[in-house]
């Protein structure tokens, strides 16, 4: 329920929850031998209701200033400079506890009229790095503000950004040459739904959404309820299996408040005079995209009525075109409320709609109304495409399927204001133009083969094939609006088949033009570039390597411009010049912290000076152990041991895990292929490997759950047992662990699985389960990769619910949960009810709930408290666990 959440209210709630589950009550009902001072101190830490702190070496790792290390990603239009942001690190509880409101998933800081994230996260300063010289220029930032959304001006001499102060957010512009910043907007921005600025192509103005003039007061909640909450579903047979959203609208007055918080004034801000040109009247704007000359605007607005069962992103919306007065010229698309299970395409959607990089209007990929093979849409007036010269052989002709075309939509954007620039013979996956809009690069997939070819609009019947390959999905990657994904090469959890994965030629590079469009990177000699990552079957001996290939547009000749070395992990960030004679890369190794460099051949110019912020973590001993289950399935366990570990020393151990589902061994194996053993050992504030500094062996792994497609979880419990037993046997055989002193834990689905491990195996003395779901009947419409609902898979849902086996749990179970957890599958109610079940069964247990946090703590005090309780729990119940009696199993 989107209520105002204040520090005092949440503190009272947390105190009441602690009182509801006092550990002292459990201790009073059992007889225990006398305790030493250390044990009493550990119990006191767990029982304390204020914030606690962990051991000093853990605290140093948690609070290490990782944010002082930076990477380069935001390049200037000419690619010779990069923005370097100095972030503020972990926020404090005071920052997280600023009053905030939830409206169907939209988090609002009502005091400052902005997204809550702008109040808790951001940069405290900006610098500009010259990649040609390595010189760094510091830009002045306003005192007391968090900086976000930095964006280059078209000519690359200025940077616009949002400055978020205590009560308002304003637009600022910094001059790169002088380093000085100037406030551009006198009126505060409305930064709730729209949290970025856009330059006009001439660099004189910024597009922004402002708080409306003469804004009425926010609609108030009624002092007394005006009626019952009403929910209706009057469409028999229409299924909408929604996930269990944490934040939804519940009352009509909340819908009124949401509308008030997102109703803003679209405006142009003159960066020199600070004059404001209002565009139309205030509207519920969720996104805006201005034409380069700012004569027209693509505006997406929320539409009423709102919904009580889906988050705000799924509310009804309209996308329209406005002129500079705010007059609506055309409707681009309209969409009703989007419920789960809705698969129909939104009527009228123009695929890939974007402003022309040169010339007037927009362009998009249009479709014929029916499959046409090699024919053309007569109604469009498009010429019939006849393959010419050798181009057709290289491109390959599409046969069958829906014929598509590239269409220019001209002002004033009427139904007939269209011009067909190119007519294809089949479907078009995606397309991008050159900066002068004379040539298009088109990606297609036909009969399992991907093709990338170029056509000039002056001679659209001639295709120049850049590359054609079976199993390849061509596309584009770069820094323009709508740029696609990463550099190609497949990967991920599951990934593509072997032939595609190991032979992926990458994606074609694009850049952001001075007019703000995504355009192709074309060399002075008429070539384009494909970037990607080359993977090897033996990824441990031959780690992944980034590459950049140059392909001549005219004849398809390919040559390699860049390939990462083999002795370090080197990632391609971007090219510096259009001829790709030098590139920006990030380099790291197991002993070298990641840093950015300009590479020109073998010459490296260092651009950042990062340092190892956690040397005690880096010094830990690391092992990679392959484990084999009783059924022959293998998986990898990453073991972290104390620095200076002596072979054969058996240690208390903590298993930290997160199961995934697969149909076979090959499915699991595909998830390992992107591992790069040359990377620096990185950590976050909640890395469980920190426990190695306390004398633990930490085993981190993703055990496979394997079964028939769609029914993998039928084997969840049996595979869970096999996986855990296999890990214990392997690490016991290696003389690494003391199998009588084992703990287990995980976060989210790992927390859920931790409770199941304690319920269905006898191996562990204690568990730590975070932000989990312990009763699967509370996620009745599916979870993780499980697509059966409760009614189709009832037996499985019940067997996988550890709360239903609370009486079988062995080992002391610590639960933790974030009090504002918005994850769809882990409502906080689950942890509260699980704690109640554990207490009712006399199980040693605890529940710690962290205020202001979403799906895992980020505030400094909450992080330190979490580690203080984790270490106390494990020291008490694992490290100092009483040995089993002789002969006991």
């Amino acid at each position: 329920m989107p209520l105002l959440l204040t520090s005092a209210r949440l503190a009272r709630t947390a105190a009441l929850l602690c009182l509801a589950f006092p550990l002292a009550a459990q201790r009073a009902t059992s007889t225990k031998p006398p305790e030493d001072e250390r044990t009493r101190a550990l119990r006191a830490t767990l029982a304390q209701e204020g914030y606690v702190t962990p051991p000093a070496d853990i605290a140093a790792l948690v609070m290490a200033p990782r944010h002082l290390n930076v990477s380069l990603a935001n390049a200037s239009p000419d690619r010779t400079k990069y923005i370097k942001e100095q972030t503020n690190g972990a926020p404090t509880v005071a920052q997280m506890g600023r009053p905030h409101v939830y409206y169907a998933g939209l988090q609002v800081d009502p005091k400052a009229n902005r997204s809550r994230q702008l109040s808790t996260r951001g940069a405290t300063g900006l610098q500009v790095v010259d990649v040609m010289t390595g010189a760094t220029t510091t830009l002045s930032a306003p005192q007391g503000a968090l900086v976000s959304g930095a964006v280059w001006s078209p000519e690359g001499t200025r940077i616009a950004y949002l400055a978020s102060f205590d009560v308002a957010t304003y637009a600022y512009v910094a001059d790169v040459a002088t380093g000085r910043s100037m406030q551009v907007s006198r009126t505060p921005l409305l930064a709730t739904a729209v949290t970025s600025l856009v330059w006009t192509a001439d660099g004189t103005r910024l597009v922004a959404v402002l708080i409306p003039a003469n804004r009425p007061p926010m609609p108030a909640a009624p002092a007394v309820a005006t009626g019952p909450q009403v929910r209706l579903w009057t469409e028999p047979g229409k299924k909408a299996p929604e996930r269990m959203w944490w934040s939804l609208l519940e009352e009509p007055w909340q819908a009124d408040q949401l509308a008030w918080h997102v109703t803003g004034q679209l405006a142009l801000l003159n960066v020199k005079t600070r004059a404001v040109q209002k565009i139309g009247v205030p509207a519920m704007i969720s996104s805006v995209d201005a034409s380069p000359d700012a004569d027209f605007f693509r505006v997406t607005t929320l539409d009423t009525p709102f919904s009580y069962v889906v988050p705000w992103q799924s509310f009804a919306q309209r996308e329209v075109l406005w002129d500079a007065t705010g007059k609506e010229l055309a409707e681009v698309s309209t969409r009703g409320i989007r419920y789960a299970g809705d698969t129909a395409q939104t009527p009228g959607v123009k695929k890939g709609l974007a402003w022309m990089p040169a010339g007037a209007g927009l362009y998009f990929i249009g479709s014929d109304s029916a499959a046409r093979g090699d024919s053309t849409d007569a109604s469009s007036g498009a010429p019939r495409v006849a393959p010419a010269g050798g181009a057709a052989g290289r491109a390959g002709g599409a046969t069958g399927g829906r014929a598509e075309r590239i269409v220019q939509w001209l002002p004033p954007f009427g139904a007939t204001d269209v011009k067909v620039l190119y007519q294809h013979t089949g479907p078009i996956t995606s397309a991008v133009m050159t900066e002068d809009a004379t040539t298009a690069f088109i990606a297609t997939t036909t009969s399992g083969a991907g093709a990338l070819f170029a056509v000039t609009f002056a001679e659209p019947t001639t295709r120049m094939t850049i590359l054609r390959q079976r199993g390849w999905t061509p596309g584009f990657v770069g820094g323009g609006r709508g740029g696609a994904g990463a550099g190609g090469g497949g990967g991920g959890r599951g990934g593509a088949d072997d032939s595609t994965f190991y032979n992926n030629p990458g994606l074609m590079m694009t850049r952001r033009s001075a007019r703000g469009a995504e355009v192709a990177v074309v060399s002075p000699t008429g070539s384009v570039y494909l970037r990607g990552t080359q993977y090897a079957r033996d990824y441990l001996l031959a780690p992944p390597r980034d590459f950049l290939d140059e392909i001549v547009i005219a004849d398809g000749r390919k040559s390699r411009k860049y390939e990462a070395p083999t002795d370090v992990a080197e990632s391609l960030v971007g090219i510096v010049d259009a001829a790709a004679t030098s590139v920006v890369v990030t380099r790291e190794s197991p002993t070298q912290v990641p840093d950015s460099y300009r590479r020109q051949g073998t010459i490296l110019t260092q651009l950042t000076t990062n340092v190892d912020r956690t040397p005690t973590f880096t010094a830990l001993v690391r092992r990679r152990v392959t484990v084999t289950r009783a059924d022959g399935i293998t998986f990898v366990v990453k073991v972290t041991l104390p620095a200076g570990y002596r072979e054969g020393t058996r240690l208390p151990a903590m298993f930290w895990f997160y199961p995934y589902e697969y149909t076979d061994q090959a499915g699991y194996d595909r998830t390992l292929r992107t591992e790069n053993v040359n990377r620096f050992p990185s950590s976050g504030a909640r890395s469980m490997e920190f426990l190695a500094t306390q004398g633990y062996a930490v085993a981190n792994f993703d055990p496979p759950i394997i079964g028939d497609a769609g029914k993998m979880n039928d084997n969840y419990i049996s595979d869970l047992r096999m996986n855990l037993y296999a890990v214990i046997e392997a690490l016991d055989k290696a003389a690494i662990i003391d199998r009588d002193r084992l703990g287990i834990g995980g976060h989210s689905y790992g927390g859920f699985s931790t409770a199941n491990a304690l319920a269905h195996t006898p191996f562990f003395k204690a568990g730590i389960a975070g932000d989990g779901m312990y009763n699967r009947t509370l996620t009745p419409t599916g979870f993780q990769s499980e697509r059966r609902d409760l009614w189709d898979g009832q037996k499985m849902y019940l067997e996988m619910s550890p709360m239903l086996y609370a009486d079988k749990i062995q080992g002391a179970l610590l639960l933790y949960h974030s009090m504002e957890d918005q994850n769809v599958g882990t409502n906080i109610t689950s942890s509260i009810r699980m704690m109640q079940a554990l207490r009712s069964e006399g199980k040693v247990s605890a529940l710690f709930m962290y205020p202001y946090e979403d799906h895992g703590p980020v505030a400094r005090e909450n992080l330190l408290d979490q580690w203080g309780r984790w270490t106390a729990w494990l020291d008490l119940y694992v490290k100092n666990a009483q040995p089993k009696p002789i002969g006991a199993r």
Side-chain angles (χ1 to χ4, degrees):
M1 179 174 181
L3 298 177
L4 195 63
L5 301 172
T6 64
S7 301
R9 176 174 174 263
L10 277 171
R12 288 194 300 271
T13 303
L16 288 172
L17 287 166
C18 289
L19 290 173
F21 310 120
L23 291 171
Q26 297 179 29
R27 296 198 298 271
T29 62
S30 60
T31 302
K32 290 190 169 79
E35 296 178 340
D36 58 23
E37 184 176 346
R38 170 65 173 159
T39 301
R40 288 195 296 272
L42 293 174
R43 293 192 185 280
T45 295
L46 293 167
Q48 185 171 322
E49 293 187 331
Y51 281 118
V52 303
T53 55
D57 43 1
I58 290 276
L61 289 171
V62 174
M63 290 292 101
R66 297 172 184 82
H67 61 284
L68 299 181
N69 284 351
V70 297
S71 59
L72 302 182
N74 192 344
S76 61
D78 66 359
R79 301 183 292 273
T80 63
K81 298 179 178 66
Y82 279 79
I83 297 172
K84 186 169 72 172
E85 294 190 1
Q86 189 64 69
T87 64
N88 61 338
T92 65
V93 164
Q95 287 176 292
M96 296 295 290
R98 276 179 63 101
H100 51 281
V101 189
Y102 287 84
Y103 295 104
L106 181 66
Q107 300 184 41
V108 176
D109 178 344
K111 180 180 180 181
N113 291 287
R114 61 175 173 248
S115 166
R116 181 198 181 200
Q117 186 174 0
L118 298 182
S119 297
T120 59
R121 298 294 182 89
T124 55
L126 297 175
Q127 293 180 318
V128 173
V129 178
D130 188 319
V131 302
M132 304 306 294
T133 65
T136 298
T137 302
T138 299
L139 307 181
S140 66
Q143 290 290 324
L146 285 178
V147 174
S148 61
V151 57
W152 288 95
S153 63
E155 79 289 348
T157 62
R158 294 162 296 163
I159 296 171
Y161 61 87
L162 273 61
S164 295
F165 297 88
D166 181 54
V167 297
T169 298
Y170 296 95
Y172 273 69
V173 170
D175 183 270
V176 173
T178 65
R180 290 196 295 270
S181 288
M182 178 185 74
Q183 181 178 333
V184 173
S185 61
R186 294 185 178 91
T187 302
L189 303 179
L190 181 68
T192 49
V194 179
T195 57
S196 59
L197 301 166
V198 177
W199 286 93
T200 57
D202 59 9
T204 63
R205 294 166 293 174
L206 292 171
V207 182
V209 177
L210 306 176
I211 293 176
N214 303 314
R215 190 187 196 191
M218 183 179 73
V224 177
T226 58
Q229 290 188 4
V230 176
R231 303 290 184 269
L232 292 175
W233 192 254
T234 56
E235 300 183 58
K238 180 178 180 180
K239 296 183 178 182
E242 296 295 338
R243 305 298 291 269
M244 306 304 291
W245 306 104
W246 182 81
S247 167
L248 293 172
L249 297 180
E250 296 191 357
E251 301 281 2
W253 59 267
Q254 294 167 352
D256 295 338
Q257 289 187 354
L258 170 58
W260 186 85
H261 279 296
V262 298
T263 298
Q265 175 66 61
L266 183 61
L268 289 169
L269 310 177
N270 189 298
V271 298
K272 184 176 182 180
T273 67
R274 299 200 289 180
V276 176
Q277 176 187 344
K278 296 180 180 179
I279 309 299
V281 298
M284 292 188 292
I285 301 172
S286 60
S287 69
V288 60
D289 182 19
S291 65
D293 55 13
D295 285 342
F296 305 101
F297 302 84
R298 286 176 63 189
V299 181
T300 301
T301 60
L302 298 184
D303 205 357
T304 56
F306 295 158
S307 171
Y308 292 122
V309 297
V310 294
W312 75 282
Q313 296 95 332
S314 295
F315 287 0
Q317 65 179 35
R318 295 181 71 234
E319 183 181 359
V320 296
L321 292 173
W322 289 357
D323 66 13
T325 69
K327 177 184 177 182
E328 182 176 319
L329 302 177
E331 181 177 87
V332 177
S333 66
T334 183
R335 189 195 75 197
I337 296 172
R338 186 174 57 203
Y339 295 106
D342 287 345
T343 58
Q345 292 290 325
T346 303
V349 169
K350 294 174 171 58
K351 187 167 70 173
L353 184 68
W355 297 106
M356 290 287 294
L362 298 138
Y363 74 98
F364 61 91
I365 298 170
S367 298
D368 288 349
S369 57
R372 302 184 61 87
D374 268 352
S375 61
T376 188
D377 181 1
S379 65
S380 72
R384 180 180 176 84
V385 178
R394 293 200 307 271
T399 57
R402 184 184 299 275
E404 294 188 322
R405 55 193 177 274
I406 298 177
V407 180
Q408 184 178 8
W409 194 12
L410 295 158
F413 306 106
T416 60
D417 296 325
V418 294
K419 177 183 178 182
V420 176
L421 302 176
Y422 168 71
Q423 177 73 48
H424 190 50
T425 54
I428 296 174
T429 304
S430 54
V432 70
M433 293 186 187
T434 52
E435 187 166 11
D436 61 5
T438 62
T439 302
F441 297 89
I442 297 170
T444 66
T445 301
T446 307
S447 302
L452 180 66
F453 62 91
V455 293
T456 62
F457 297 137
E459 298 183 60
T461 59
T462 301
R463 303 179 196 167
M464 295 169 283
T465 296
I466 295 166
L467 185 67
R468 185 176 189 273
Q469 181 173 304
R470 290 200 61 80
W472 175 48
T473 303
F476 306 96
V477 57
R481 298 177 191 176
R493 192 160 293 279
D497 63 45
D498 284 353
S499 61
T500 299
F501 182 82
Y502 294 114
N503 297 288
N504 196 311
L507 301 175
M508 185 178 139
M509 289 192 68
T510 62
R511 63 179 177 85
R512 188 181 178 89
S513 74
R515 285 166 58 96
E518 180 191 15
V519 297
V521 176
V522 181
S523 77
T525 57
S527 298
V528 295
Y529 302 101
L530 268 66
R531 60 172 294 185
T533 304
Q534 180 63 57
Y535 297 98
R537 294 181 185 278
D538 193 340
Y539 55 90
L540 297 179
L541 291 179
R545 302 172 70 188
D546 278 14
F547 66 83
L548 181 70
D549 285 342
E550 179 181 10
I551 302 181
V552 179
I553 298 172
D555 57 22
R557 283 182 294 123
K558 181 193 291 190
S559 60
R560 183 139 293 183
K561 297 289 290 186
Y562 162 80
E563 189 169 54
T566 59
D567 58 335
V568 299
E570 189 170 285
S571 302
L572 178 64
V573 177
I575 64 175
V576 177
D577 58 296
T581 58
S582 61
V583 296
V584 175
V585 297
T586 298
R587 288 169 58 87
E588 60 183 295
S589 75
T591 58
Q592 176 187 348
V593 69
D595 261 314
S596 297
Y597 296 80
R598 179 172 66 90
R599 174 183 281 281
Q600 188 166 12
T602 59
I603 301 172
L604 290 169
T605 302
Q606 189 167 350
L607 304 175
T608 60
T609 54
N610 297 327
V611 299
D612 186 356
R613 306 290 176 181
T614 55
T616 57
F617 176 80
T618 307
L620 298 174
V621 176
R622 294 171 174 84
R623 303 278 177 81
R624 192 178 188 278
V625 180
T626 298
V627 169
T628 304
R629 295 188 337 194
D631 60 357
I633 297 294
T634 62
F635 59 98
V636 172
V637 177
K638 294 183 178 179
V639 181
T640 305
L641 303 167
Y645 172 77
R646 295 177 57 184
E647 293 296 331
T649 304
R650 293 185 178 274
L651 302 174
M654 180 62 175
F655 291 5
W656 193 254
F657 76 133
Y658 194 105
Y660 287 93
E661 298 83 30
Y662 308 95
T663 57
D664 54 22
Q665 177 76 62
Y668 171 81
D669 291 343
R670 282 194 288 268
T671 69
L672 307 177
R673 302 178 298 184
T674 59
E675 182 180 351
N676 194 325
V677 295
N678 285 332
R679 294 207 180 279
F680 185 77
S682 63
S683 66
R686 297 169 60 238
S687 294
M688 190 54 61
E689 289 80 2
F690 292 169
L691 285 173
T693 67
Q694 307 303 299
Y696 290 89
V698 181
N700 203 318
F701 54 101
D702 299 335
I705 306 299
I706 293 180
D708 295 336
K711 296 183 178 181
M712 292 87 81
N713 280 325
D714 288 350
N715 300 327
Y716 174 85
I717 299 299
S718 60
D719 277 17
L720 182 68
R721 291 188 181 114
M722 269 198 297
N723 289 328
L724 296 175
Y725 184 74
V727 175
I728 294 169
E729 286 292 300
L731 301 187
D732 181 41
K733 183 178 180 180
I736 291 174
I737 63 170
D738 176 354
R739 65 189 302 156
D740 287 333
R741 292 188 296 165
L742 301 179
I744 189 168
H747 183 78
S748 192
Y749 200 65
F752 153 80
S753 295
T754 294
N756 268 314
L758 295 184
H760 297 290
T761 75
F763 308 137
F764 303 99
K765 295 292 186 181
I768 295 176
D771 287 8
M773 170 54 69
Y774 309 107
N775 183 349
R776 292 266 68 111
T777 66
L778 297 181
T779 56
T781 57
F783 57 92
Q784 296 296 103
S785 62
E786 181 58 61
R787 294 297 172 260
R788 290 171 291 178
D789 60 27
L790 173 62
W791 300 275
D792 287 335
Q794 187 175 104
K795 181 175 182 291
M796 174 268 300
Y797 271 72
L798 298 179
E799 287 180 346
M800 289 182 67
S801 297
M803 195 180 83
L804 304 184
Y805 297 87
D807 60 324
K808 304 293 191 301
I809 282 181
Q810 301 180 57
L813 179 56
L814 181 154
L815 305 169
Y816 67 88
H817 213 119
S818 299
M819 295 178 71
E820 298 176 33
D821 184 0
Q822 291 200 86
N823 186 58
V824 294
T826 56
N827 192 288
I828 193 173
T829 300
S830 175
S831 287
I832 296 172
R833 295 293 180 255
M834 184 66 174
M835 182 66 202
Q836 184 179 19
L838 293 168
R839 188 184 68 248
S840 70
E841 290 299 313
K843 304 298 180 180
V844 177
S845 50
L847 171 60
F848 303 105
M849 304 174 72
Y850 290 97
Y852 318 122
E853 303 282 12
D854 194 347
H855 195 57
V858 297
R860 300 172 192 176
E861 296 89 339
N862 288 335
L863 288 167
L864 290 170
D865 182 271
Q866 188 173 69
W867 274 104
R869 299 182 194 276
W870 284 358
T871 53
W873 192 261
L874 295 175
D875 282 359
L876 184 61
Y877 295 110
V878 176
K879 183 182 289 185
N880 299 314
Q882 296 299 312
K884 291 181 180 179
I886 295 176
R889 290 184 60 85

